[in-house]
């Protein structure tokens, strides 16, 4: 698939932008702070449902504007489609004009891989970032993974809520087992997916080091 067109309204520094893209390769260039990364960000929001630069959606709206919108037209082998994101106090997603109920409904439609200088942190920074990187990748390929992940996070929240109830409302502690069991089941599902995809990456990786002199310092 490829992205044919991007339309931005009041997104970041753009009032109205409409660009057509080439099927194979596009280079976006310009001076600093002209809005190159903003364009990449708009595609990321259309694919993943949120920005890679901020958690606060209102930062995406042009200063002194009420709402922003992004429209991305894409072409797959057999069909064309569009994803529209409207951002005001909340975010709304439309696929081919039809409003989607959840963010998870749009993930996987436009499959993307972002690679930017901050990605060095996937290696340098904490394991949570590595998990997040895997989660974003697998969710795009397997919608069921995202569903399990969300169920896990909800169960974790409920378990934490129950912990508070044990402390402050004298709820029975043995009921905690129900949550622990649920969490460990879901955790195992998540683990299996992550293991599978890590092995795929590992297999691909294996091809490269063979070409070099390897020095393993222990
Ligand atoms: N919400 C916003 N409203 C207006 N301008 C914004 C907003 N967010 C960022 N900008 C502007 O976008 C520009 C940075 O865009 P960016 O895509 O990061 O630049 P670069 O071309 O260097 O990648 C800056 O000029 C910044 O002031
Ligand atoms: Mg930039």
């Amino acid at each position: 698939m490829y992205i044919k067109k991007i339309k931005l309204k009041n997104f970041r520094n753009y009032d109205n932008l409409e660009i057509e893209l080439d099927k194979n390769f596009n280079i976006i260039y310009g001076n600093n702070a002209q809005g190159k990364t903003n364009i990449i960000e708009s595609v990321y929001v259309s694919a993943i449902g949120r920005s890679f630069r901020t958690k606060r959606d209102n930062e995406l709206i042009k200063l002194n504007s009420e709402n922003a919108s992004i429209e991305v037209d894409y072409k797959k082998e057999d069909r064309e489609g569009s994803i529209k994101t409207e951002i005001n106090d909340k975010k709304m997603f439309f696929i081919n004009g039809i409003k989607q109920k959840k963010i998870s409904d749009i993930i996987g439609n436009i499959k993307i891989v972002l690679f930017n200088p901050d990605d060095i942190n996937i290696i340098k920074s904490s394991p949570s970032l590595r998990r997040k990187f895997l989660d974003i990748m697998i969710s795009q390929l397997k919608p069921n993974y995202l569903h399990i992940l969300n169920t896990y996070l909800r169960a974790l929240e409920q378990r934490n809520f129950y912990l508070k109830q044990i402390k402050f409302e004298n709820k029975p502690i043995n009921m905690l087992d129900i949550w622990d069991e649920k969490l460990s089941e879901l955790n195992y599902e998540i683990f299996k997916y992550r293991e599978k995809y890590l092995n795929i990456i590992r297999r691909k990786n294996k091809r490269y080091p063979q070409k070099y002199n390897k020095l393993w310092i222990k």
Side-chain angles (χ1 to χ4, degrees), residues 110-121:
I110 303 175
K111 294 189 180 68
I112 56 153
V113 177
L114 172 77
F115 184 65
N116 79 357
D118 292 338
D119 284 341
I120 192 71
N121 289 325

Side-chain angles (χ1 to χ4, degrees), residues 115-131:
F115 184 65
N116 79 357
D118 292 338
D119 284 341
I120 192 71
N121 289 325
I122 296 169
I123 292 162
K124 274 181 75 172
S125 187
S126 65
S128 65
L129 218 68
R130 285 187 276 284
R131 286 196 291 271

